[in-house]
Amino acid sequence: MTREVRDVVLSRDGSSVVLTVPETGLPAVLHWGADLGVLGAESLAALGAATSRQTAPGTLDTAWRLSLLPQEGDSWSGRPGLLLARDGRPVFPRWQTRDVVPSADGASVVITATSDGLALRSRLAIGAGGVVEVGHEVTNTGEGLVEVVHVEATLPVPKTADRLTSFGGRWSQEKAPTTTAMPSGAWARETRRGRAGHDQPWVTFATEGEPGSTSGQVWAVHLGWSADMRHRCDRVSDHVTLLGAGELLRPHEIHLAAGETYRTPWAYFAWSDAGLDGVSERFHAWLRAREQHPRTSRPLVLNVWEAVYFDHDPKRLEALARRAAQVGVERFVIDDGWFLGRRDDTTSLGDWVVDPVMYPDGMEPLADLVHGLGMQLGLWFEPEMVSLDSDVARAHPDWLLHNPASVPDPEGISHRQQYVLDLANPAAFEHVRSQMSEVIGRLGVGYVKWDHNRDLLEPVHDGRPGTHEQMLAAYRLMDVLKAAHPGLEIESCSSGGARTDLGILAHTDRVWGSDNNDPVERQESHRWTELVLPPELIGSHVGPSPAHVSGRTTELSYRAAVALQGHAGLEWDLMGCTEDELEQVSAYAALYKELRGLLHTGTVVHPDHLDPALRARGVVARDRSEALWTVTSVRGPDESLAPRLRLTGLDPDRDYTVRVRDEIGNARLGGWCTPAWMRKEPIRASGRMLAEVGLQLPTFQPVQALILHVSGAVSR
């Protein structure tokens, strides 16, 4: 019993959270933000006094401080942190904290509390990079059924935060930010698609003034959950602002019988005083510290989707595999169209058996060829979906996750001419698991592209909303397959970037950021995806020109420069390439292999105050020995004289060599006004000069790219 603990200080990697434990009720957060150092009893008392709004007994009819789950009973007028009902009647918990157990390293704490017929277990931890993890568990310790309406994690931010940024988007235009003045009252952004969605909240962050890449305080939250969710912000007149997130539950979705527990998804909070790049550095450090984070070099991928679509001619695929190995591809991925009867997107989902007509000799010859060429074999599945025109749906129509009472369509509304398979049904789960496992094991598949191409509409499981159980079953299926096939990697694809959160990445090894391979448009979604995810987790491929989604024509050098910003690959019919293009692709592969050790471990940086026509991004080695910068134009310049690019993040007291990397094509930048440093031998300059003065950029024309390698650091 550790109820005597009055204050808890959690600190790690430049962040801290300070909690105080009152005589009654739940602990309250006094501070979330910068590391305050060692706080003794006197300092903690001073912090409490400095942040208190009144002295006992006080006259305000409101909570003096906000608890971890603020309630109406605390006189909190914002959105309650927790809403429950028992047997159809509202429940108003009066929590009493029972145990407060800090960890020995001072980075986490577990808090238990009780109320009439309820138990609460809350965990706060500061992980690697200073990311704060918050999760709650609610247990029914009484009689009857407890309905969980919502349980949401929150942390306070100062009143000085006067801007709020949230995200929306659509297919092929994921993760579009919108910044507004801090809204008054209770604000929420929700997704009800059964998956996070292209318009998912993604990250919600508060800032003091307009958000910047390199400076300013930022308080951000991301929810590690891949289905329905809610992001929230409460700015009421008599309290600090609350920022938070939680799972969005449908009415009557979660009922707890006696002894049963509901566990929230983890909410991840990141604070930085170094702008958005500081937030990214924290999230990237947290992800890279995970035990399951990929440790091997990320292989160069070729996915055959935009090369062949549904035309799975084995001879054509064999020729493409040989060409892929010739240019340096290391992972060959066979996309949609390989399984029983699949000729288009109207049929066969759920029948995960190699099509004997398409592959009369089976897929073994192709698999053997791919492995013999020294490449890994990847295979596409959409395990959570089913077509009505499939053997499994005809045999088991009761396995659909839908509203059986829907009229006039008893199967519910289709999307992309497909439906959802109820993986929470043990028989349906076993069907998918066994068929997938057999193919993976027999063919030596080392990589699964796991797709999810539709929303869940009116999902009903055992008479109640089924989104929560479906998502947990999908997570479980991923884990079971990876346990059965050691070394198997999984990519999360959901019509592109509709499921890219930290929840899915607890079970997968990378995400597909967008179906849009147009390099101009792809840069926007990639920039905001890597606000949370490091580049090695974001698939980024060179596609054909014109781009299949947008129809835009771009040079191969530009497409390759953009693809280098993530886990690089190709999605292109190399059989149609010219000899010159194949040489460029080989050079792209070689450059990626040379630089991926830097690109996938370094710190990502973005400059502020750049010409609106330009995009710039750098990756700086952790030891600051080298960096790679990519500058691209997305349209014509506003002025003839381009700005200087300041290369931040380098050691100011070292000298560096700066050279243009043009192996994948000369972008013909600048014309008659190419800066001297680009025309001569590589220049040497101090990190201080490169950061403070910068390099004069050439005059970019629309859709051009420049790659700069900064290396050879020498102490001065």
Side-chain angles (χ1 to χ4, degrees):
M1 183 72 170
T2 57
R3 179 62 188 83
E4 293 76 14
V5 174
R6 305 305 311 165
D7 299 288
V8 177
V9 181
L10 308 179
S11 298
R12 183 174 177 181
D13 293 352
S15 293
S16 71
V17 174
V18 181
L19 299 97
T20 187
V21 184
E23 291 294 334
T24 60
L26 296 175
V29 176
L30 298 182
H31 169 78
W32 162 45
D35 191 341
L36 301 180
V38 177
L39 296 176
E42 185 176 353
S43 296
L44 286 169
L47 177 63
T51 58
S52 176
R53 61 179 310 193
Q54 63 177 339
T55 302
T59 57
L60 297 176
D61 293 329
T62 184
W64 292 8
R65 300 189 189 280
L66 297 180
S67 76
L68 292 174
L69 291 171
Q71 303 286 299
E72 288 183 60
D74 302 323
S75 296
W76 163 241
S77 61
R79 178 180 175 80
L82 171 146
L83 279 181
L84 305 171
R86 187 185 294 275
D87 295 332
R89 297 176 180 271
V91 174
F92 302 111
R94 295 295 184 263
W95 298 110
Q96 182 62 45
T97 300
R98 300 298 181 186
D99 287 287
V100 179
V101 184
S103 62
D105 63 1
S108 67
V109 63
V110 175
I111 299 156
T112 56
T114 59
S115 183
D116 223 5
L118 295 169
L120 175 70
R121 184 178 186 271
S122 301
R123 183 176 185 270
L124 284 78
I126 304 184
V131 172
V132 181
E133 310 158 25
V134 182
H136 300 287
E137 298 177 7
V138 177
T139 301
N140 179 10
T141 59
E143 301 297 323
L145 289 177
V146 170
E147 179 185 354
V148 179
V149 180
H150 74 245
V151 186
E152 296 170 350
T154 61
L155 286 179
V157 301
K159 286 281 195 177
T160 53
D162 59 357
R163 295 290 186 276
L164 188 72
T165 300
S166 60
F167 285 82
R170 62 171 175 84
W171 176 76
S172 81
Q173 300 286 332
E174 294 90 342
K175 299 179 178 62
T178 299
T179 299
T180 64
M182 180 66 71
S184 298
W187 172 96
R189 274 274 289 113
E190 299 177 345
T191 179
R192 297 172 178 266
R193 297 181 177 276
R195 55 177 172 170
H198 300 95
D199 58 348
Q200 63 184 288
W202 183 231
V203 182
T204 300
F205 58 84
T207 55
E208 295 176 329
E210 293 297 315
S213 292
T214 60
S215 63
Q217 293 207 81
V218 183
W219 296 264
V221 63
H222 169 87
L223 188 69
W225 182 242
S226 312
D228 295 345
M229 69 179 71
R230 177 185 294 112
H231 283 216
R232 55 176 286 177
C233 180
D234 297 81
R235 185 181 179 91
V236 300
S237 63
D238 46 3
H239 282 293
V240 295
T241 302
L242 278 189
L243 190 66
E247 181 183 7
L248 188 154
L249 297 169
R250 308 295 179 97
H252 307 295
E253 185 160 10
I254 301 294
H255 286 172
L256 303 178
E260 291 184 336
T261 297
Y262 168 73
R263 295 173 178 84
T264 68
W266 288 103
Y268 300 94
F269 296 83
W271 164 85
S272 170
D273 61 357
L276 298 175
D277 283 352
V279 167
S280 292
E281 187 171 5
R282 292 195 184 281
F283 276 122
H284 295 182
W286 185 91
L287 281 155
R288 287 168 172 167
R290 300 173 304 152
E291 182 178 351
Q292 74 268 34
H293 192 76
R295 304 297 175 195
T296 58
S297 296
R298 299 293 77 209
L300 185 73
V301 177
L302 186 140
N303 185 293
V304 307
W305 177 241
E306 290 193 6
V308 304
Y309 289 104
F310 289 107
D311 184 12
H312 278 231
D313 176 2
K315 296 301 182 185
R316 183 181 179 188
L317 289 171
E318 289 171 5
L320 185 56
R322 292 188 180 93
R323 181 63 56 83
Q326 174 189 336
V327 299
V329 167
E330 300 164 303
R331 174 180 285 164
F332 188 80
V333 181
I334 301 170
D335 210 285
D336 192 359
W338 59 270
F339 47 98
L340 190 63
R342 185 73 160 178
R343 301 295 181 272
D344 55 38
D345 64 359
T346 67
T347 181
S348 303
L349 291 173
D351 295 339
W352 305 111
V353 178
V354 175
D355 185 82
V357 176
M358 191 83 73
Y359 293 92
D361 298 321
M363 287 187 73
E364 284 84 352
L366 178 57
D368 291 344
L369 174 65
V370 169
H371 291 136
L373 291 168
M375 296 185 292
Q376 301 174 18
L377 177 65
L379 199 58
W380 181 95
F381 293 88
E382 196 169 1
E384 297 152 82
M385 300 298 155
V386 65
S387 303
L388 293 187
D389 183 9
S390 65
D391 288 351
V392 65
R394 284 186 286 270
H396 303 284
D398 55 315
W399 286 2
L400 270 65
L401 184 66
H402 66 103
N403 176 11
S406 62
V407 177
D409 182 1
E411 283 84 27
I413 301 171
S414 72
H415 180 67
R416 289 188 86 241
Q417 305 179 79
Q418 64 188 61
Y419 294 80
V420 184
L421 193 68
D422 186 359
L423 289 183
N425 179 320
F429 181 98
E430 177 55 25
H431 163 80
V432 177
R433 184 211 63 79
S434 62
Q435 286 197 339
M436 288 183 67
S437 189
E438 194 279 332
V439 173
I440 290 168
R442 177 164 48 84
L443 298 179
V445 172
Y447 177 82
V448 166
K449 180 180 178 182
W450 187 298
D451 220 334
H452 183 288
N453 278 312
R454 63 154 288 170
D455 296 344
L456 277 58
L457 304 176
E458 298 183 345
V460 177
H461 170 78
D462 286 347
R464 294 211 305 267
T467 300
H468 176 84
E469 292 299 325
Q470 177 77 358
M471 193 66 257
L472 293 181
Y475 287 159
R476 189 165 63 253
L477 179 57
M478 294 174 187
D479 292 345
V480 167
L481 289 170
K482 293 186 81 169
H485 304 280
L488 179 69
E489 293 192 6
I490 298 176
E491 174 188 64
S492 171
C493 176
S494 185
S495 311
R499 203 158 73 172
T500 58
D501 58 277
L502 297 189
I504 204 74
L505 275 165
H507 311 274
T508 63
D509 302 278
R510 83 167 201 172
V511 303
W512 183 233
S514 177
D515 280 343
N516 192 346
N517 277 327
D518 178 333
V520 174
E521 298 183 0
R522 184 65 177 255
Q523 290 178 81
E524 298 305 311
S525 62
H526 186 98
R527 191 267 177 269
W528 297 111
T529 301
E530 74 176 7
L531 179 63
V532 175
L533 308 185
E536 64 268 24
L537 298 182
I538 309 170
S540 183
H541 293 178
V542 172
S545 181
H548 288 192
V549 169
S550 69
R552 190 193 310 271
T553 299
T554 53
E555 292 188 6
L556 176 52
S557 59
Y558 187 95
R559 298 180 342 251
V562 172
L564 285 173
Q565 297 178 20
H567 178 180
L570 298 152
E571 195 142 347
W572 189 11
D573 186 1
L574 298 180
M575 303 308 296
C577 290
T578 66
E579 288 301 319
D580 286 345
E581 286 175 326
L582 290 176
E583 288 184 12
Q584 282 186 274
V585 170
S586 296
Y588 157 65
L591 187 62
Y592 171 68
K593 293 173 185 178
E594 174 193 342
L595 296 173
R596 61 187 166 190
L598 163 65
L599 296 173
H600 296 166
T601 62
T603 301
V604 179
V605 293
H606 302 84
D608 285 315
H609 313 302
L610 200 64
D611 187 310
L614 299 179
R615 303 290 182 268
R617 172 188 180 274
V619 181
V620 182
R622 300 299 295 179
D623 63 1
R624 299 194 288 180
S625 61
E626 63 175 330
L628 193 82
W629 280 83
T630 306
V631 186
T632 61
S633 59
V634 296
R635 59 175 175 82
D638 293 332
E639 299 182 350
S640 297
L641 179 62
R644 294 188 198 132
L645 175 67
R646 292 194 288 247
L647 307 183
T648 57
L650 301 172
D651 185 338
D653 297 320
R654 292 184 179 182
D655 283 344
Y656 295 86
T657 298
V658 182
R659 63 185 174 121
V660 177
R661 300 300 299 263
D662 56 5
E663 294 95 326
I664 54 179
N666 185 347
R668 301 184 298 278
L669 293 165
W672 54 270
C673 58
T674 302
W677 66 268
M678 292 181 62
R679 289 184 179 276
K680 298 179 180 180
E681 291 298 316
I683 66 167
R684 291 188 66 81
S686 70
R688 179 173 285 105
M689 191 200 86
L690 293 171
E692 297 298 332
V693 178
L695 297 173
Q696 175 63 53
L697 290 175
T699 301
F700 281 79
Q701 297 306 309
V703 196
Q704 292 184 309
L706 175 66
I707 300 175
L708 301 178
H709 193 187
V710 184
S711 61
V714 178
S715 298
R716 303 182 76 233

